[in-house]
Amino acid sequence: MNLRDFLFKTALPSLTLALPALVGCGGSEPAGPAEPGQELLAPPEAGKGVQFKMVTKLDPGTEGEHCMFVRAPAEGLYVNRDEVRFTKGSHHFLLYQTSYDDIPTKKEDGTVVDTSGVFDCSDGATNGWAVEKLIGGSQNGEGEAFLKFPEGVAMKVRPGAVLLMNAHYINASMNVIEPEVRINLYSVPEAEVTTEGDVLFLYNPFIHVSPMGEGRARMRCPVHKDITIVNVQSHMHARGVDYSASIVGEAEPFYTNTEWEKVPVKDFGAGLQVKAGSWFDYHCDYANGEMRDVFQGPRSTDEMCMLIGSYYPAEAATANCLAEPAAPNQPNSIGAEWVGNGKATCAESFSCVQQALGSGMGGLEAMTPCVTNSDAAVSKELSDALRCFFRTGPGQDPTMLCKTEFETCLAN
């Protein structure tokens, strides 16, 4: 199993379920106008975009993770910005573009799902569906959303594409609630677009916070072409107490934050220029007040660490922390470098990972402390070995294919 497949099966399905956000239901077409004065968010003017919405009921004391497929307009969209509003009690909603032309009724593995309206996606919104990219969302019910580009820049939404709405909501009250979320995609004519934009969506699956303790999740991601970042924001759960994102080699971070909710969005005005060959380096700090270990995951009882932001020109590998293909027509693999906070050598850490994967104790959770307890000085060597190890397929011998990476790790 390659590392990308491993992470998609164990960690990445929860990307879309991060913090307590909104679940819902509704039709599969863009939402029409509502009665004046009763709207959570008015739709865009005719010809200037579309709106989608979800509404549902949630029982007292429950945590729900729901999804819904909707369809983009037949003529497609060039989205210059989005706007999201959701009712009280939530701060996260995401909208994805899939590769489907018709709303699917089965997952990629053949599992039948009733997708005629809202459906449960507690195993992860992207788990089993052919998701291509994030096209909108927000973790601020009344503030700034994810997508924002200057004049001439827009994100392309494929004509008639099936879109996946996802939200996660916790009803901590004693009453049934009916939460609602709306998203506006504001579009511009294709003739006005000179550059295609995208969203940075960087996610670190290696998070471990010990009982009544502190922890840090740190990751570096490569930049494969010159880009301009328009805005950025962090994403953590309730144990998140500090956050910082920087460019390797630069003295000052370009974004810092201490909040896990009402997350500030930093707008760079004319844009933050990042050169090809650079690396993002970001981390989340946590304080755990519970008598149990905390790992990455979708629930409020789990944690997350992400770097999110609008940028251009679009480049999928940079947007998703992937490595450039080793050869033409080869798939991308994970390009991350994971930076530990401990004192373990590369050899000790890699041995720990091998034992964890062979223990049958849950894979990712078992191996995570091996990574987070490693010495920061061996992050490159350990990450190189891990990526190569998981890149090997059935019948392949990792000790031969990864001989150089393993020997380098064992020497550090």
Side-chain angles (χ1 to χ4, degrees), residues 41-87:
L41 173 67
E45 295 179 22
K48 295 186 177 181
V50 296
Q51 181 182 94
F52 299 100
K53 70 177 181 180
M54 301 199 300
V55 180
T56 194
K57 290 184 179 181
L58 204 66
D59 291 332
T62 60
E63 182 172 2
E65 299 161 7
H66 291 188
C67 291
M68 182 177 71
F69 287 113
V70 294
R71 191 185 298 278
E75 65 274 18
L77 293 168
Y78 282 88
V79 184
N80 179 259
R81 67 182 179 94
D82 69 341
E83 186 176 12
V84 177
R85 292 290 182 270
F86 41 75
T87 48

Side-chain angles (χ1 to χ4, degrees), residues 126-259:
T126 63
N127 188 24
W129 305 110
V131 169
E132 293 180 327
K133 63 181 180 180
L134 178 72
I135 63 172
S138 179
Q139 51 188 330
N140 296 310
E142 297 180 354
E144 294 181 273
F146 288 165
L147 207 65
K148 181 182 179 182
F149 297 116
E151 184 177 349
V153 181
M155 175 182 283
K156 182 179 180 179
V157 176
R158 184 168 49 82
V162 172
L163 311 180
L164 178 62
M165 304 180 77
N166 168 249
H168 172 194
Y169 190 83
I170 297 176
N171 181 7
S173 75
M174 299 299 291
N175 303 306
V176 173
I177 58 174
E178 296 186 4
E180 177 182 357
V181 61
R182 295 193 181 198
I183 180 169
N184 285 356
L185 301 179
Y186 294 96
S187 61
V188 295
E190 181 179 359
E192 296 180 8
V193 179
T194 59
T195 306
E196 187 174 342
D198 201 357
V199 176
L200 290 171
F201 203 53
L202 311 183
Y203 180 89
N204 187 353
F206 292 113
I207 301 172
H208 174 232
V209 194
S210 59
M212 303 301 292
E214 299 178 346
R216 169 174 287 189
R218 182 180 173 191
M219 186 171 78
R220 295 177 179 142
C221 291
V223 178
H224 299 295
K225 66 164 62 173
D226 292 354
I227 62 172
T228 299
I229 299 177
V230 181
N231 61 30
V232 293
Q233 56 192 284
S234 59
H235 185 70
M236 304 181 289
H237 289 194
R239 295 156 205 83
V241 295
D242 198 22
Y243 181 101
S244 180
S246 61
I247 304 296
V248 172
E250 296 189 1
E252 297 296 325
F254 61 80
Y255 178 84
T256 59
N257 172 40
T258 59
E259 304 300 322

